[in-house]
Every structure is written in structure tokens, then in C-alpha cells.
Amino acid sequence: MDDCIFCKIIRGEIPSTKVYEDDYMLIFKDIEPKAKNHFLCIPKSHFKLLSEMDECQSEMLLKCLKKIPELKKELGLENGYRLVINQGEDAGQSVFHLHIHILSGQKMGWTPA
Ligand code: AMP
């Protein structure tokens, strides 16, 4: 997608602090961290919402979910972590390329509102 900010990051047109990359995904630091450690994991195929995901993209997302716990040290997951996927307006989704927030490195409360 030409104007998608995360596609631009994947193509290297916008800089990012990469933590992990392979053929299926990129994991990089969130530019405005909401926890001591805040990373984003993005599948390399562009899709906006879980409801729009095709079979191939769902396999890619599964690879993302399996890879994250393997990167325990790099992502600071030793004491636990939180994964968040915002979907749509009510959740405050601001970038419309599906992404998994990875939050770690501190105790977290539960404040959905
Ligand atoms: P969401 O609100 O769930 O769509 O999350 C989008 C996230 O992308 C936010 O946490 C932003 O801080 C983050 N973000 C936006 N632009 C960049 C960027 N250029 N590099 C890293 N993170 C970004």
C-alpha cells in the first residue's frame, strides 16, 4: 500500500528501530512508548482488520504470535507481557495496517476506558 506508514517502514522508506525481521514480519520499537518496553509486530502483508484477513495473512499472523515469545530476551518478556491488537475507532486504532502491540518491562494495570 503506497501511503501506509507501516508499509513504508517495511520498505525502509521511513526509519525504525528494528528488533527482528524475517520474510513474514517486522518487529520494531513504537515511536511513542506506552510502557517501559513497547514494540510493534507487523505482518509484511498489508491488511487493516482481522475481519479482512485472508488465509495466507492468517498464517502470517500465526507466525507472528509464535515468534514473539521466542524473542523473550530481545523484547524483555521475562516477567510477563501484554499483547494488544486495536481494531477500529472505539479501540483507537490509528494506523490501518494490522499490528500487535507488545508491552513489557513493568507491572500493568487494566484501564480500558
Ligand atoms: P494503534 O493506535 O493501535 O493503531 O497503534 C499505532 C501505533 O503506531 C502507535 O502506538 C504509534 O505510536 C505507533 N507509530 C506510529 N508511527 C510510528 C513510527 N513511524 N514508528 C514507530 N511507531 C509508530
Side-chain angles (χ1 to χ4, degrees), residues 7 14 17 22 30 33 38 47 57 80-81 85 87 89 91 95 113:
C7 286
I14 292 179
T17 307
D22 64 20
D30 195 293
H38 187 174
F47 62 105
Q57 290 162 337
Y81 58 99
I85 303 179
Q87 295 287 273
E89 195 183 334
V95 178

Side-chain angles (χ1 to χ4, degrees), residues 6 28-31 34 40 86 92-95 99 101:
F6 286 175
F28 57 102
K29 287 189 177 180
D30 195 293
I31 205 168
K34 281 94 182 166
L40 298 170
N86 289 324
Q93 185 176 6
S94 61
V95 178
H99 51 281
H101 293 265

Side-chain angles (χ1 to χ4, degrees), residues 60-76:
M60 214 177 256
L61 184 60
L62 183 58
K63 285 182 192 297
C64 292
L65 291 170
K66 288 173 94 167
K67 180 53 68 179
I68 290 166
E70 290 175 16
L71 300 172
K72 203 179 212 179
K73 201 170 167 205
E74 295 87 336
L75 300 173

